[in-house]
């Protein structure tokens, strides 16, 4: 089986409070994009009594310091620290029968980017292994959440309103969009970014903020009126990211100056993207932002 483990972008990201379990409650719109890590997956049933095994092979296409980050958790480093290996080990007791699973992963999605790189790999991996387990659909969500907060989103492929720590998903309709993703040569630690928000500890409470988005915001997502959404669906992490890495603030401005209708940090960063009204405007903008920010890696995408 050949597939792509897609990246995601966040259109708006609010962190209302820190939960009693130490994790942070979020509200966001997650949108899968058409760029990601190619993955080949082969599953073979083994005779009863044998142990399930994972055979992992990869090609590392990451640039800069991120290349070493992935090498350290690949089969050329300590594979036990890889999110796919961890997920497989925990899933093994739940298989109906022993399995040999072979993976070939081509790694392009950057760690410390805020676009769901490892979570996307894990979500697609689990999605194709869950049918071999005793888990119910509800239990599958709980299991995926235990691997990573964003992993449940990658079990499916539609845009979603997201709440909880990332596991409460409400599919929504989002218009087709054309964007440019900037991958800076530096990352932002998710833990440090959340700590920087300094959210107070509160008991979980229900919130209708995202469920009751004003009709004009819902319409704008549905029809792709990205300019209207700018300054109305904001990413709360930007205020910290722009202080930590001022180049990101310049990059966001650069997207607007190149004709973007909407631009935002994705997740807790460090990747930042711009959305353009048409594919043509996006393609015209690419050489402009590439020239202005020569140390950035840029990828075009659509959704």
């Amino acid at each position: 089986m050949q597939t792509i483990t897609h990246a995601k972008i966040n259109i708006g990201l609010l962190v209302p409070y820190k939960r009693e379990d130490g994790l942070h409650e979020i509200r966001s719109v997650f949108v899968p994009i058409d760029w990601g890590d190619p993955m080949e997956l082969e599953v073979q049933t083994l005779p009863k009594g044998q142990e399930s095994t994972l055979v992992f092979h990869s090609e590392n296409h990451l640039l800069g310091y991120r290349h070493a980050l992935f090498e350290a958790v690949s089969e050329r480093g300590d594979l036990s620290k890889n999110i796919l290996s961890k997920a497989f080990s925990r899933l093994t007791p739940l298989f109906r029968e022993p399995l040999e699973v072979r993976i070939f992963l081509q790694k392009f999605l950057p760690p410390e980017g805020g676009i769901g790189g490892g979570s996307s790999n894990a979500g697609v991996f689990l999605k194709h292994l869950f049918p071999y387990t005793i888990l119910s659909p509800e239990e599958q969500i709980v299991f995926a959440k235990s691997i990573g907060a964003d992993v449940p989103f990658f079990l499916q492929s539609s845009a979603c309103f997201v709440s909880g720590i990332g596991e409460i998903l409400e599919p929504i309709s989002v218009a087709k969009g054309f964007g440019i993703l900037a991958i800076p040569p530096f990352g932002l630690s998710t833990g440090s970014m959340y700590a920087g928000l300094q959210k107070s500890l509160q008991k979980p409470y229900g919130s209708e903020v995202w469920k009751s988005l004003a009709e004009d915001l819902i319409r704008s997502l549905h029809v792709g009126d990205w300019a209207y959404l700018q300054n109305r669906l904001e990413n709360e992490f930007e205020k910290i990211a722009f202080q930590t890495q001022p180049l990101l603030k310049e990059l966001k401005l650069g997207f607007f100056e190149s004709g973007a209708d909407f631009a935002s940090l994705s997740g807790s960063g460090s990747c930042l993207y711009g959305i353009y009204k048409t594919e043509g405007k996006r393609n015209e903008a690419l050489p402009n932002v590439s020239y202005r920010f020569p140390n950035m890696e840029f990828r075009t995408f659509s959704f």
Side-chain angles (χ1 to χ4, degrees), residues 84-103:
L84 299 183
S85 178
K86 292 177 181 179
F88 184 81
S89 296
R90 295 184 56 184
L91 199 61
T92 295
L94 304 172
F95 290 142
R96 291 192 177 92
E97 48 196 344
L99 300 177
E100 179 182 84
V101 179
R102 294 179 172 270
I103 296 175

Side-chain angles (χ1 to χ4, degrees), residues 185-237:
F186 51 83
L188 293 173
S189 163
T190 301
S192 296
M193 293 296 286
Y194 272 102
L197 291 176
Q198 298 182 333
K199 292 295 179 176
S200 60
L201 183 67
Q202 298 182 29
K203 292 184 178 180
Y205 63 86
S207 172
E208 299 299 316
V209 172
W210 289 89
K211 291 182 181 179
S212 60
L213 274 176
E215 288 186 9
D216 51 357
L217 294 183
I218 295 174
R219 178 198 62 82
S220 297
L221 285 166
H222 183 68
V223 303
D225 188 354
W226 311 115
Y228 182 83
L229 292 172
Q230 192 63 46
N231 299 322
R232 291 180 172 86
L233 287 179
E234 297 181 319
N235 185 332
E236 195 169 356
F237 284 108

Side-chain angles (χ1 to χ4, degrees), residues 234-250:
E234 297 181 319
N235 185 332
E236 195 169 356
F237 284 108
E238 286 188 357
K239 58 187 177 185
I240 303 170
F242 292 170
Q243 291 174 358
T244 305
Q245 293 286 353
L247 182 62
L248 292 175
K249 187 174 184 178
E250 294 180 32

Side-chain angles (χ1 to χ4, degrees), residues 62-101:
L62 296 170
L63 303 177
Y65 82 99
R66 292 184 171 97
H67 188 92
L69 286 183
F70 181 74
E71 285 297 287
V73 298
S74 75
E75 72 275 21
R76 296 170 294 276
D78 185 354
L79 188 58
S80 67
K81 295 181 179 179
N82 188 286
I83 191 171
L84 299 183
S85 178
K86 292 177 181 179
F88 184 81
S89 296
R90 295 184 56 184
L91 199 61
T92 295
L94 304 172
F95 290 142
R96 291 192 177 92
E97 48 196 344
L99 300 177
E100 179 182 84
V101 179

Side-chain angles (χ1 to χ4, degrees), residues 17-25 145 149 165 194 201:
Y17 59 89
K18 186 176 182 180
R19 297 154 38 128
E20 289 182 311
D21 60 10
L23 301 174
H24 287 79
E25 190 79 8
K145 176 185 171 183
I165 64 168
Y194 272 102
L201 183 67

